[in-house]
Amino acid sequence: MAERDLFEAVEYLKREGEGLLRRFARSHRGVSCIDLRFEVVAGRSAAATNGEPRDSSESENAAFGLAVQVADRSGVVGHGQAGAEIGGLARKPARLPSVIRGALEQAFDRARASAREKAAIVASMGSAARSLAAAQVPDPPAIRDSVEATFKRDPRGIDIDELKQLALEASRGVKALGSSIAFNVAAAMTEYRRELFLNTAGSVITQAFSFSQGDCYVVAQNRDGHQESYDTIGQQRGIECLEEGWQSELMPNPTLGEFALDLAKEAQELAAAPALKPSEGEVVVVTDPHFNALIAHEIVGHPSEADRALKMEAAYAGRSWFLRSLADSEIGRIVGSPILSACSDPSLDGYGHYRYDHEGTAGRRVMHIDRGVFAGFLNSRATAAVLGVEPNGSVRASEMWHVPLIRMSNTFFLPGDSSPERLIAEVDHGYYVCGNLVPSIAESRENFRISARRVYAIENGRLGRLYRSGSVIADSKRFFMNVDGVGNDLRLIAIPNCGKGQPMQVKRMSNGGPTLRSRARLGGAA
Amino acid sequence: MLPLGELQRFARAAAAELSRHPEFAEFEVYCASSLSRIARLSYTSDIPCRGVEEIKSLGADGFQVRVVMRRNPHEVGTASEAGDLSRDALRRAVDRARRAAIIDPHFPGLARDTEKMPRRPTAAGDLARASDGALASCAWRVVDGALRAFGARYTPASRSPGLVIGGDVTIVHDRIALANSNFPEIRTDESAHFVSSVTALVESIDAKGTDSAVGGSIVRMRTAAGSLGRNAVLRALRLGAEVRPRSGRYRVVLGPQPVAEILNYMVMGSLTTGAFFAASSAYQGRFGDRIIDESLSLLDDPALRTGPVHRKITCEGLPARRTDLIKSGRLVGLLSNVYDSHRLETDAERVEKLGRLGGDAKFAPSAGYRLGEGGGRRFDADVGAAGTNVVMRARGGVSDRAILEAVGDGLYVGRVWYTYPINGQRAGDFTCTVSGDSYLIRDGKIAEPLAPNCLRINANISEVFSRPIAVASKIVPTIVWGSAETYFVPAIAVEGISMAEIGANP
């Protein structure tokens, strides 16, 4: 007998899941809300090292995560969650509902246990525990929609040998550059995922995504120095974007082979370049779109996440320089130059595109900085209620067994009207900083040091000597206030590995911006 | 979670099935069941909150097969299946492994071990049976302890104190069963431990205190829950009226957390065979040389009696053994798995990569783990090289008092944040910010607290470990966010660390 396609489980749950949740809610006292998220993912990947095959895999998995909210008799609310990878079990219609019912029972018991413990503390601490009365979250709207993925070549139908060859050729191309390339890895991946969101409010949403991604890591060395470089290209497309390259104004990429070769040649050049010496004070820096992707990510995007701003991430990735307290935030205040704007926009065709988040809220453009003024946070339904604003559809889990967190989508600086050439030509003495490498930021992201792949001296409007091991060090607000030039060359960069949460979730998104000009200190080798 | 017996039965049945395939010269069936249960703490006195965000679980059961083709001993295929331990699932996995097979000329074959391992009880302890209610109770106990300590000790400076309690109480539990055609038996292992990290911020006085605990029993978890919240709050309240030192070079005592963080993000990744093969180790070409001060030694011990993580076997089925990494300052060992050991030992450029003294070195594959987020074993993870309980010891270590006296005037840094290899791992340059629990040292004594997040460290690992002024004798268990390893490390006093002010505009 032919086996059921794992993706049929999505359709099965789409039909049966709503009833399952409603029956559970009716039969369990105090349940006020249930969310169920389910996904099936099929992927192919391959990697090659030093021009030889190293790894390849063809995978298929199914997983779910569910959240139950209960209120006890006194109105104290508790939350429980359960998530699991169930893989092939999802092929079995007789087993799937019982697995989900079992998880609902677990989450319900956890929510009740938590509510019970909370009620005891509220009773004993009195007004000292008043903040535990969480803000009332309005009922979500019921949405029924289905969103399809975009690709020329369906990842599920790709012969894995094609990926092996793609990675191998890229790695061989790098190795052929000679003995100064001490090590290289090239990897290619293509993936199709279909997600289902259901809740007791009546939402039934399916969304499909196709991701294809190429990665390269290279170590170049010579007698004078060494350089480790890595980078990623990716699109919400099929493998065609790696094989043929992708032409778009916003987020173009070369073929995987060209991309790997360019990165390796650059690493060779950098290994032979001198390390940058730290600057004594601030200097003029012109930063390119790739470098600015990491500034947009770390200094605008993360601190614009409302859970971080509301101190929920304080023990892990810190707080936000945009909000000190509910009564003292940067909303409506100047945080940057009047020519600087930044936003998150999941509707754009970037690596962070989606239509609905994992609470079933439609995603929309959120302005973070509007002509220098801080304008707003990415939020969830719960944090929107605390902030007294509308939910903006920004909560997503990296995999469905995880709890959804507030996440960036396509987060970037908006373009201005100067050409990047002009921004450089206007500088007497300064530095052109290209390509992001490693970020380190202060606790509320009020200060940062971000290293670059390449730094060029600018003398009299012209690019001069190339340096490696350079980084930009600045206080965030001062850096933004000093922006005096914004390019017209907006680009988005695929970010494959944004970590957040406990345990860590790794999420894909896009960040970017145009070329910017500001002032900062430069760091070099220690 | 699936019972160990079920994993073992499936591994045995799958091995029997695979042994009937004449095309396979070798095979491995790795079954893993893991469950992480997390109670995330999220209390804010001035912002509506849940207190405990939610009690949640992440479960992953499944298996991975690796098959080596008889037609070519370097042709190997890998595939995994989640959730379903059945013959159908095995057939699907084998089909996928065939399609995914690659010819890697450096593949040495699967792990080999012809001797039966002695039967030993698992080290999972009673945490493996801890209920969700026990976890919820511990999480709320942390919050309760924090609120009571705050209520008793906080002198209102503001009607909005800005108390923030964050962190989590997490139980990590995993089981594995492994069949390998080169082993005489099915091998199993089970482990459970808890980790908890708590941060208390009092924003009205700009103060931050932390505490953490690790352990392997319910009693230890309950005991820790009783003190973690209180300790974090009291540490925060001891701060206040802080100073903000100017940019410059300072004599610094790095407390256990900064030492663990620098080891985790800057050193451990360099102490693997994979890093040396990839020419990306900070100690490239220096195997056998003295790489840090001769008073310091570093080892990894999966059977450490006081360690929370206990591993009998690696995720390749081999005995998990202690690895001496650095002895009296010399680099003597590397964490490794079967593939990476072979790759480096047979590398034509091994002398260049390891150095003259490393030419004949052998690297036991005793650290090959397949780990997921949070450090539990995962059925579908690739084999990497990771530590378990990492211990740094010092010869001639001194008391806490003596280490401050050795510095005289300087800084005590108790917590750093966001430590990264800013110019790549090999360069050894790092940067991080001083995020809490930190003080001025004046005349060899702790003096005024530092404002959190007022300084950025810009340094190289050689400045930390090569010429310490003094090293503490006390070894403190320390956890690092997102790390699989638990660290047991001393405080280290060092000379001339570069600090840059945050928020001080030139």
Side-chain angles (χ1 to χ4, degrees):
Chain A
M1 196 175 82
E3 277 199 325
R4 289 165 58 90
D5 181 344
L6 198 53
F7 286 91
E8 286 179 25
V10 177
E11 302 309 314
Y12 172 81
L13 267 186
K14 193 173 172 182
R15 289 192 305 272
E16 306 294 332
E18 233 185 326
L20 196 155
L21 297 192
R22 285 207 179 122
R23 284 192 294 278
F24 187 89
R26 274 202 302 266
S27 61
H28 289 72
R29 183 185 293 173
V31 172
S32 49
C33 179
I34 304 176
D35 285 356
L36 169 65
R37 299 171 301 278
F38 180 77
E39 71 182 356
V40 177
V41 184
R44 314 270 189 275
S45 67
T49 300
N50 294 347
E52 290 168 338
R54 177 64 185 97
D55 189 24
S56 105
S57 87
E58 195 182 303
S59 63
E60 205 172 59
N61 200 354
F64 70 85
L66 50 86
V68 175
Q69 178 179 301
V70 300
D72 75 358
R73 283 180 202 159
S74 63
V76 172
V77 173
H79 299 83
Q81 184 271 357
E85 295 167 73
I86 54 172
L89 275 187
R91 291 177 206 278
K92 302 172 181 173
R95 293 286 305 278
L96 186 54
S98 69
V99 169
I100 288 175
R101 269 196 299 271
L104 283 167
E105 292 287 356
Q106 277 184 336
F108 175 71
D109 289 344
R110 289 169 182 163
R112 277 207 314 182
S114 193
R116 203 166 42 238
E117 297 281 348
K118 186 196 285 190
I121 286 188
V122 169
S124 71
M125 303 289 289
S127 64
R130 65 185 182 281
S131 63
L132 288 173
Q136 193 68 34
V137 180
D139 288 338
I143 294 174
R144 301 176 100 84
D145 200 357
S146 185
V147 183
E148 294 306 319
T150 307
F151 50 77
K152 262 204 301 197
R153 301 187 61 201
D154 188 335
R156 293 168 292 184
I158 298 295
D159 184 338
I160 194 166
D161 286 340
E162 203 174 322
L163 276 162
K164 293 177 196 172
Q165 198 58 32
L166 190 60
L168 187 60
E169 282 173 11
S171 182
R172 279 181 179 157
V174 173
K175 185 178 168 60
L177 290 176
S179 60
S180 65
I181 300 295
F183 182 75
N184 84 79
V185 182
M189 177 281 289
T190 188
E191 172 189 292
Y192 177 85
R193 66 171 57 216
R194 195 163 183 81
E195 300 176 352
L196 170 68
F197 174 81
L198 301 170
N199 65 11
T200 42
S203 283
V204 181
I205 300 169
T206 54
Q207 290 186 96
F209 299 88
S210 169
F211 292 95
S212 294
Q213 182 177 308
D215 302 279
C216 183
Y217 171 70
V218 59
V219 180
Q221 63 183 18
N222 60 30
R223 269 181 297 182
D224 302 321
H226 56 88
Q227 172 72 22
E228 291 169 63
S229 292
Y230 57 86
D231 203 1
T232 294
I233 49 174
Q235 303 284 345
Q236 287 201 20
R237 288 285 185 286
I239 193 177
E240 62 274 5
C241 71
L242 303 181
E243 291 183 330
E244 301 159 17
W246 187 251
Q247 307 301 318
S248 76
E249 197 177 328
L250 200 56
M251 201 168 79
N253 65 256
T255 66
L256 177 61
E258 291 163 346
F259 160 74
L261 205 55
D262 288 348
L263 189 75
K265 285 177 179 170
E266 180 195 276
Q268 279 181 313
E269 194 182 0
L270 284 165
L276 186 71
K277 290 202 170 76
S279 64
E280 288 296 320
E282 283 184 352
V283 293
V284 175
V285 290
V286 179
T287 50
D288 83 340
H290 195 288
F291 185 85
N292 292 332
L294 207 46
I295 297 183
H297 183 96
E298 302 288 2
I299 309 305
V300 178
H302 275 312
S304 292
E305 296 159 353
D307 51 358
R308 191 176 304 253
L310 295 175
K311 330 288 181 185
M312 295 162 70
E313 293 285 318
Y316 307 119
R319 293 169 292 168
S320 166
W321 68 288
F322 294 138
L323 188 142
R324 285 166 292 285
S325 70
L326 287 179
D328 181 13
S329 80
E330 297 293 340
I331 290 180
R333 293 183 184 164
I334 293 170
V335 296
S337 147
I339 57 171
L340 189 75
S341 295
C343 73
S344 293
D345 191 344
S347 72
L348 294 179
D349 187 13
Y351 216 36
H353 164 73
Y354 60 92
R355 194 176 299 173
Y356 297 98
D357 76 356
H358 289 158
E359 289 184 330
T361 306
R364 62 177 196 224
R365 177 178 277 219
V366 178
M367 285 303 294
H368 302 306
I369 300 174
D370 189 358
R371 289 162 289 178
V373 175
F374 184 71
F377 294 99
L378 300 165
N379 65 33
S380 59
R381 285 172 44 219
T383 56
V386 172
L387 293 166
V389 297
E390 287 294 307
N392 53 35
S394 304
V395 188
R396 293 179 304 141
S398 60
E399 309 286 350
M400 288 303 188
W401 62 82
H402 282 297
V403 170
L405 302 169
I406 297 175
R407 290 299 215 157
M408 285 172 251
S409 53
N410 304 303
T411 300
F412 57 96
F413 296 107
L414 273 70
D417 51 17
S418 294
S419 72
E421 294 79 13
R422 190 176 138 205
L423 292 176
I424 293 168
E426 290 170 347
V427 176
D428 289 338
H429 303 286
Y431 292 86
Y432 182 43
V433 179
C434 305
N436 72 67
L437 211 51
V438 178
S440 177
I441 57 267
E443 196 263 0
S444 295
R445 292 162 196 267
E446 71 279 27
N447 169 280
F448 63 89
R449 177 175 176 177
I450 295 176
S451 59
R453 295 218 302 262
R454 290 171 287 134
V455 178
Y456 298 90
I458 304 173
E459 291 297 337
N460 300 318
R462 290 166 186 264
L463 294 188
R465 188 160 195 184
L466 170 67
Y467 297 93
R468 64 180 160 85
S469 302
S471 49
V472 172
I473 306 173
D475 290 330
S476 304
K477 185 171 178 180
R478 185 173 173 86
F479 183 82
F480 286 172
M481 293 298 292
N482 279 333
V483 169
D484 69 352
V486 178
N488 56 9
D489 53 340
L490 170 63
R491 291 286 182 278
L492 293 185
I493 311 296
I495 304 288
N497 56 351
C498 172
K500 183 177 179 184
Q502 174 69 353
M504 186 82 78
Q505 297 186 38
V506 177
K507 190 79 186 157
R508 299 171 184 135
M509 57 194 58
S510 285
N511 293 111
T515 298
L516 299 176
R517 189 173 64 207
S518 183
R519 295 180 64 79
R521 287 175 53 222
L522 288 178
Chain B
M1 277 186 86
L2 297 175
L4 197 55
E6 189 174 335
L7 298 178
Q8 203 169 2
R9 276 192 296 280
F10 178 77
R12 184 173 291 115
E17 176 71 27
L18 291 174
S19 65
R20 287 195 283 273
H21 286 259
E23 70 195 290
F24 301 147
E26 296 177 81
F27 61 79
E28 176 194 78
V29 183
Y30 169 75
C31 310
S33 179
S34 63
L35 181 69
S36 295
R37 287 180 292 162
I38 302 117
R40 196 154 55 100
L41 313 175
S42 180
Y43 175 84
T44 40
S45 62
D46 305 323
I47 298 171
C49 65
R50 294 179 178 178
V52 171
E53 185 60 18
E54 75 277 292
I55 314 284
K56 61 186 176 182
S57 64
L58 307 171
D61 309 321
F63 69 92
Q64 187 178 89
V65 293
R66 281 202 288 177
V67 292
V68 182
M69 305 300 174
R70 198 170 293 284
R71 65 189 171 211
N72 185 338
H74 301 299
E75 186 174 4
V76 57
T78 305
S80 59
E81 274 281 321
D84 188 4
L85 301 190
S86 68
R87 288 190 70 175
D88 283 345
L90 179 65
R91 184 181 46 71
R92 285 194 299 269
V94 169
D95 286 348
R96 284 213 298 270
R98 278 196 193 96
R99 291 197 293 272
I102 51 157
I103 298 173
D104 176 353
H106 307 286
F107 178 71
L110 298 171
R112 287 185 175 274
D113 191 0
T114 52
E115 285 191 23
K116 274 197 166 187
M117 282 186 70
R119 279 176 175 266
R120 279 181 292 172
T122 64
D126 63 356
L127 265 179
R129 299 185 297 278
S131 68
D132 288 345
L135 179 62
S137 168
C138 284
W140 280 105
R141 226 172 146 190
V142 173
V143 176
D144 184 63
L147 294 184
R148 288 183 192 283
F150 190 73
R153 298 289 181 87
Y154 178 68
T155 309
S158 158
R159 289 184 61 193
S160 303
L163 174 65
V164 179
I165 307 295
D168 63 281
V169 184
T170 296
I171 300 173
V172 179
H173 185 189
D174 57 36
R175 298 177 176 131
I176 62 167
L178 191 141
N180 177 325
S181 54
N182 301 325
F183 292 171
E185 83 278 56
I186 309 295
R187 295 181 174 178
T188 61
D189 202 359
E190 181 169 5
S191 173
H193 67 278
F194 81 90
V195 294
S196 181
S197 172
V198 179
T199 296
L201 294 157
V202 185
E203 295 186 305
S204 57
I205 56 170
D206 198 13
K208 177 178 179 177
T210 62
D211 199 12
S212 64
V214 291
S217 71
I218 294 176
V219 169
R220 172 84 183 101
M221 183 169 75
R222 284 199 176 126
T223 307
S227 62
L228 284 167
R230 184 185 68 227
N231 290 346
V233 163
L234 294 181
R235 283 176 187 169
L237 290 177
R238 277 202 292 271
L239 303 176
E242 307 95 339
V243 295
R244 303 177 75 90
R246 305 294 302 269
S247 298
R249 288 191 177 269
Y250 287 87
R251 286 187 149 198
V252 174
V253 175
L254 294 167
Q257 190 275 343
V259 170
E261 179 134 335
I262 294 166
L263 283 174
N264 184 72
Y265 290 111
M266 296 300 307
V267 175
M268 292 303 290
S270 281
L271 301 180
T272 64
T273 47
F276 274 84
F277 176 72
S280 63
S281 172
Y283 306 111
Q284 205 69 25
R286 299 177 64 194
F287 192 86
D289 291 347
R290 191 167 78 74
I291 58 165
I292 61 175
D293 186 75
E294 61 188 4
S295 70
L296 296 171
S297 295
L298 188 72
L299 61 90
D300 176 60
D301 187 355
L304 186 72
R305 197 173 51 81
T306 52
V309 182
H310 289 102
R311 305 284 192 211
K312 278 195 310 180
I313 58 172
T314 69
C315 297
E316 295 182 295
L318 296 170
R321 293 202 172 108
R322 165 176 160 154
T323 305
D324 285 306
L325 298 164
I326 300 170
K327 255 186 177 173
S328 300
R330 288 189 188 283
L331 179 56
V332 296
L334 300 175
L335 298 172
S336 193
N337 55 46
V338 171
Y339 183 91
D340 288 346
S341 288
H342 174 80
R343 195 75 179 89
L344 185 59
E345 286 168 9
T346 58
D347 188 355
E349 293 164 8
R350 63 174 296 173
V351 174
E352 186 186 324
K353 288 179 176 176
L354 284 164
R356 194 173 42 81
L357 298 174
D360 300 322
K362 295 286 178 196
F363 302 100
S366 50
Y369 294 106
R370 295 159 148 135
L371 302 177
E373 305 105 346
R377 310 208 206 207
R378 265 193 70 90
F379 66 93
D380 61 349
D382 294 331
V383 180
T388 51
N389 306 301
V390 178
V391 184
M392 175 169 260
R393 293 205 175 101
R395 202 174 55 239
V398 301
S399 68
D400 289 355
R401 191 168 155 181
I403 199 169
L404 295 172
E405 287 170 355
V407 164
D409 293 331
L411 307 176
Y412 178 89
V413 176
R415 180 157 287 264
V416 297
W417 198 78
Y418 236 93
T419 305
Y420 270 131
I422 197 76
N423 291 322
Q425 179 173 268
R426 184 165 161 179
D429 296 336
F430 70 93
T431 187
C432 54
T433 55
V434 177
S435 63
D437 295 332
S438 300
Y439 299 84
L440 279 182
I441 302 171
R442 190 181 301 115
D443 297 329
K445 293 190 176 70
I446 290 286
E448 296 91 334
L450 303 189
N453 316 309
C454 69
L455 289 172
R456 171 177 292 285
I457 298 177
N458 295 301
N460 187 281
I461 49 175
S462 63
E463 296 173 276
V464 174
F465 298 112
S466 292
R467 294 178 300 278
I469 304 168
V471 182
S473 55
K474 189 163 82 182
I475 305 294
V476 180
T478 307
I479 55 177
V480 176
W481 178 41
S483 168
E485 291 92 353
T486 300
Y487 289 87
F488 296 79
V489 293
I492 299 179
V494 291
E495 186 75 71
I497 293 291
S498 172
M499 300 274 189
E501 290 171 80
I502 292 173
N505 301 316

